[in-house]
Amino acid sequence: QVQLVESGGGSVQSGESLRLSCAVSGYDYYSYSMAWFRQAPGKEREGVAAIGSARTVRYADSVKGRFTISRDNTKASVYLQMNSLKPEDTAMYYCAAGGVSYPSRRQSDYNYWGQGTQVTVSS
């Protein structure tokens, strides 16, 4: 059974940082991409950052230079370091495990999803 368990969300002030973590089990983690998506109320889910099996990365324009995605293969985990947070970053953040090896930000490329962790940024 595939499980993705996120942690690290919370409420912060604008300009502060958070680090999200996602632990993966029951899945061939090493061969496939991992990604972070987010969904704000009333908005569509969007791909924030993705990391391929070769550690190549892709980011949404809105987070470039502020967010960093990384993976630790020894721990079967993926992380999202979020710096200089803005109120518009407020959303539920989801970890996703993909069926492709390249860093895709498309939802359709991901087969497994975590339960989500809430990030709230106040001004």
Coordinates of all heavy atoms in Angstrom, one line a residue, residues 38-46 88 90-92 94 118:
R38 N -0.4 22.6 -4.8 CA -1.2 23.4 -3.8 C -2.5 23.8 -4.3 O -2.7 23.9 -5.5 CB -0.4 24.6 -3.3 CG -0.3 25.7 -4.3 CD 0.6 26.8 -3.8 NE 0.8 27.9 -4.7 CZ 1.6 28.9 -4.6 NH1 2.3 29.0 -3.4 NH2 1.7 29.9 -5.5
Q39 N -3.5 23.9 -3.4 CA -4.8 24.3 -3.8 C -5.3 25.3 -2.8 O -5.5 25.0 -1.6 CB -5.7 23.1 -3.9 CG -7.1 23.5 -4.5 CD -7.9 22.2 -5.0 OE1 -7.6 21.1 -4.5 NE2 -8.8 22.4 -5.9
A40 N -5.6 26.5 -3.3 CA -6.2 27.5 -2.4 C -7.8 27.5 -2.6 O -8.2 27.0 -3.6 CB -5.7 28.9 -2.8
P41 N -8.5 27.9 -1.6 CA -10.0 27.9 -1.7 C -10.5 28.6 -3.0 O -10.1 29.7 -3.3 CB -10.4 28.6 -0.5 CG -9.3 28.5 0.5 CD -8.1 28.5 -0.3
G42 N -11.3 27.9 -3.7 CA -11.9 28.5 -4.9 C -11.0 28.5 -6.1 O -11.3 29.0 -7.2
K43 N -9.8 27.9 -6.0 CA -8.8 27.8 -7.1 C -8.5 26.4 -7.5 O -8.7 25.5 -6.7 CB -7.6 28.6 -6.7 CG -7.8 30.1 -6.5 CD -6.5 30.8 -6.4 CE -6.7 32.3 -6.3 NZ -5.3 33.0 -6.2
E44 N -8.0 26.2 -8.7 CA -7.6 24.9 -9.1 C -6.2 24.5 -8.5 O -5.4 25.4 -8.1 CB -7.4 24.9 -10.7 CG -8.7 25.1 -11.4 CD -8.6 24.9 -12.9 OE1 -7.4 24.7 -13.4 OE2 -9.6 24.9 -13.6
R45 N -6.0 23.2 -8.4 CA -4.8 22.7 -7.9 C -3.7 23.0 -8.9 O -3.8 22.8 -10.1 CB -4.9 21.2 -7.6 CG -3.7 20.7 -6.8 CD -3.9 19.2 -6.5 NE -5.0 19.1 -5.5 CZ -5.3 17.9 -4.9 NH1 -4.6 16.8 -5.2 NH2 -6.3 17.8 -4.1
E46 N -2.5 23.5 -8.4 CA -1.4 23.8 -9.3 C -0.2 23.1 -8.8 O 0.1 23.0 -7.6 CB -1.2 25.3 -9.3 CG -0.8 26.0 -8.0 CD -0.3 27.4 -8.2 OE1 0.1 27.8 -9.3 OE2 -0.3 28.1 -7.2
E88 N -0.3 35.1 -0.6 CA -0.9 34.4 -1.8 C -0.3 32.9 -1.8 O -0.8 32.1 -2.7 CB -0.6 35.1 -3.1 CG 0.9 35.5 -3.3 CD 1.1 37.0 -2.9 OE1 0.6 37.4 -1.8 OE2 1.8 37.7 -3.6
T90 N -0.8 31.0 0.7 CA -1.8 30.3 1.5 C -2.5 29.3 0.7 O -3.2 29.6 -0.3 CB -2.7 31.3 2.2 OG1 -2.0 32.1 3.1 CG2 -3.8 30.6 3.0
A91 N -2.5 28.0 1.1 CA -3.2 26.9 0.4 C -3.0 25.6 1.2 O -2.2 25.6 2.1 CB -2.6 26.8 -1.0
M92 N -3.7 24.6 0.7 CA -3.4 23.2 1.2 C -2.3 22.7 0.2 O -2.5 22.8 -1.0 CB -4.6 22.4 1.1 CG -4.4 21.0 1.7 SD -4.3 21.0 3.4 CE -6.0 21.2 3.9
Y94 N 0.0 19.6 -1.2 CA -0.1 18.1 -1.3 C 1.2 17.6 -1.9 O 1.7 18.2 -2.9 CB -1.2 17.7 -2.3 CG -2.6 18.1 -1.8 CD1 -3.1 19.4 -2.1 CD2 -3.3 17.3 -1.0 CE1 -4.4 19.7 -1.7 CE2 -4.6 17.6 -0.5 CZ -5.1 18.8 -0.9 OH -6.4 19.2 -0.4
Q118 N -1.8 22.2 5.6 CA -2.2 23.5 5.4 C -1.1 24.5 5.7 O -0.4 24.4 6.7 CB -3.4 23.9 6.3 CG -3.9 25.3 6.2 CD -4.6 25.6 4.9 OE1 -5.3 24.8 4.3 NE2 -4.3 26.8 4.4

